Amino acid sequence: MEHDSHTTWEFNGSFYQPSAFLMMGIPGLEALHHWISIPFCALYLIALLGNCMILFIIKTTQSLHEPMYYFLSMLAVTDLGLVLCTLPTTLGIFWFNMRRIGFDACLTQMYFIHILSFIESSVLLAMAFDRFIAISHPLRHPSILTKTTVMKIGLVIILRGMVSLLPIPFLLKRLTYCRKTELSHSFCFHPDIMNLACADIKVNVFYGMIILLSTVGMDFIFIVLSYILIIKTVIGLATKEECLKALNTCVSHICAVLVFFVPMIGLSMIHRFGKNVPPLVNTLVAYTYLIIPPALNPIIYSIKSSHIREALLRALRRKTESEW
């Protein structure tokens, strides 16, 4: 069901704005979209169930009411938000070939996708700070990261994402657009929309780059610095067993950081410098960035965190016993 011929335009002198954009599935594999939807459905289901499970376990297990798990709850909520932002349009294309999305709806989806990505980056930084305090100053950890402090950090993270990205939809709305309305993904992404404009986009490029570097870029730098300080502290520990035990508490977080930042950096580089990158590569990196982290994070923390694993097994045992 193509909608190219039905896309109307708002005209005001030389100002053109499409009433809708056309989203893209996986280029070159349109005939296989129904089959491709199967692994996507599996990933979405894993992400939804996994993150809901993490939230349920943390809420119902008193021993997990600690800063590390409060931050993990924030990560799970953010991942659920990312899944719910992209699921309707992605599966709409794969199942029903519903490519059309209204201009304002596209800007709204883009705004929330970017906000949630920035929030996830900030939560990963907060988790790195938590690990640094827990390893470097274990006795002071409870007094530094109190429940009130964690709530304040969470509020600052949300406000930071919302305020820093608020100008983006308005900067896109002021642009005049070309006749081409086809996006590169099954969701709306700032560089993708911006590149469809027939106007000077220097302000959009500059603001986007500044915001990206001052938020996600700084988060990544501070995460790396946190781990440099953690390694410095760990090296000073008395025994090899203590070193391994301290580092083992960071493995889950390191995996989550890599799963999030590697595809994000890759996608940003492709959109800014990868003019000759095949569309299929661009699409796969985008899906890896937005779908894989929400699906993998619950698995990573369930496998590597003994506390989460034990709480999950207890919950399963209670359910089994209640059924009998």
Side-chain angles (χ1 to χ4, degrees):
M1 185 168 62
E2 299 293 336
H3 296 273
D4 301 71
S5 59
H6 301 294
T7 302
T8 58
W9 293 76
E10 293 176 14
F11 177 74
N12 182 15
S14 60
F15 181 76
Y16 287 89
Q17 191 173 91
S19 63
F21 290 114
L22 294 172
M23 296 178 294
M24 172 80 73
I26 298 183
L29 299 174
E30 287 82 3
L32 300 174
H33 274 177
H34 283 93
W35 292 105
I36 292 169
S37 72
I38 295 172
F40 275 84
C41 286
L43 286 170
Y44 278 129
L45 191 61
I46 290 168
L48 289 169
L49 293 178
N51 285 294
C52 286
M53 178 199 73
I54 291 286
L55 289 171
F56 174 77
I57 287 171
I58 292 173
K59 186 178 185 300
T60 57
T61 308
Q62 192 65 36
S63 61
L64 298 183
H65 292 181
E66 297 176 1
M68 175 182 174
Y69 298 103
Y70 290 142
F71 289 130
L72 181 55
S73 297
M74 293 180 200
L75 188 68
V77 170
T78 306
D79 283 339
L80 282 172
L82 277 172
V83 167
L84 294 174
C85 275
T86 60
L87 186 150
T89 51
T90 301
L91 294 186
I93 288 175
F94 288 157
W95 287 350
F96 310 111
N97 199 29
M98 293 173 61
R99 299 179 60 201
R100 192 176 187 276
I101 183 169
F103 184 82
D104 289 332
C106 188
L107 295 187
T108 303
Q109 186 193 43
M110 174 215 70
Y111 180 63
F112 281 104
I113 285 174
H114 287 298
I115 279 182
L116 290 164
S117 296
F118 278 31
I119 288 174
E120 181 140 352
S121 169
S122 301
V123 170
L124 289 170
L125 172 60
M127 294 172 85
F129 177 68
D130 170 67
R131 290 299 84 212
F132 166 66
I133 298 296
I135 291 170
S136 301
H137 308 284
L139 298 178
R140 294 175 58 199
H141 181 255
S143 60
I144 294 174
L145 283 174
T146 61
K147 191 173 182 179
T148 305
T149 304
V150 171
M151 288 174 65
K152 287 178 181 176
I153 290 171
L155 184 61
V156 168
I157 285 171
I158 294 168
L159 289 174
R160 179 201 192 202
M162 289 177 66
V163 172
S164 62
L165 289 165
L166 191 60
I168 294 289
F170 298 102
L171 288 173
L172 288 171
K173 219 165 167 52
R174 73 184 175 87
L175 298 173
T176 183
Y177 289 84
C178 305
R179 293 286 173 178
K180 185 183 176 186
T181 60
E182 194 168 71
L183 301 171
S184 304
H185 310 295
S186 61
F187 52 85
C188 297
F189 197 61
H190 175 239
D192 210 15
I193 302 170
M194 180 177 66
N195 289 333
L196 294 179
C198 283
D200 186 355
I201 58 171
K202 286 191 181 73
V203 173
N204 296 67
V205 172
F206 180 74
Y207 186 78
M209 186 64 75
I210 291 296
I211 290 300
L212 188 66
L213 292 175
S214 64
T215 53
V216 178
M218 292 305 295
D219 289 346
F220 183 72
I221 289 169
F222 282 122
I223 287 170
V224 172
L225 287 174
S226 296
Y227 273 102
I228 290 172
L229 294 173
I230 286 170
I231 291 168
K232 187 179 175 183
T233 302
V234 167
I235 289 171
L237 294 175
T239 64
K240 185 180 177 181
E241 287 73 20
E242 287 178 326
C243 291
L244 292 174
K245 185 179 178 182
L247 289 174
N248 193 49
T249 64
C250 302
V251 172
S252 301
H253 180 254
I254 292 170
C255 291
V257 167
L258 293 174
V259 163
F260 175 76
F261 279 101
V262 170
M264 185 186 202
I265 292 168
L267 187 61
S268 297
M269 293 299 103
I270 286 171
H271 272 285
R272 281 166 177 79
F273 310 112
K275 300 288 184 187
N276 300 318
V277 173
L280 182 60
V281 174
N282 185 5
T283 302
L284 292 177
V285 173
Y287 283 131
T288 302
Y289 162 53
L290 283 178
I291 300 175
I292 299 299
L296 280 187
N297 283 339
I299 297 172
I300 290 168
Y301 277 93
S302 297
I303 291 171
K304 290 304 299 177
S305 171
S306 59
H307 294 97
I308 292 282
R309 196 166 60 248
E310 287 165 8
L312 175 60
L313 291 172
R314 280 197 301 271
L316 290 172
R317 275 198 299 269
R318 281 198 301 269
K319 182 173 175 57
T320 305
E321 288 167 3
S322 65
E323 288 176 355
W324 283 97

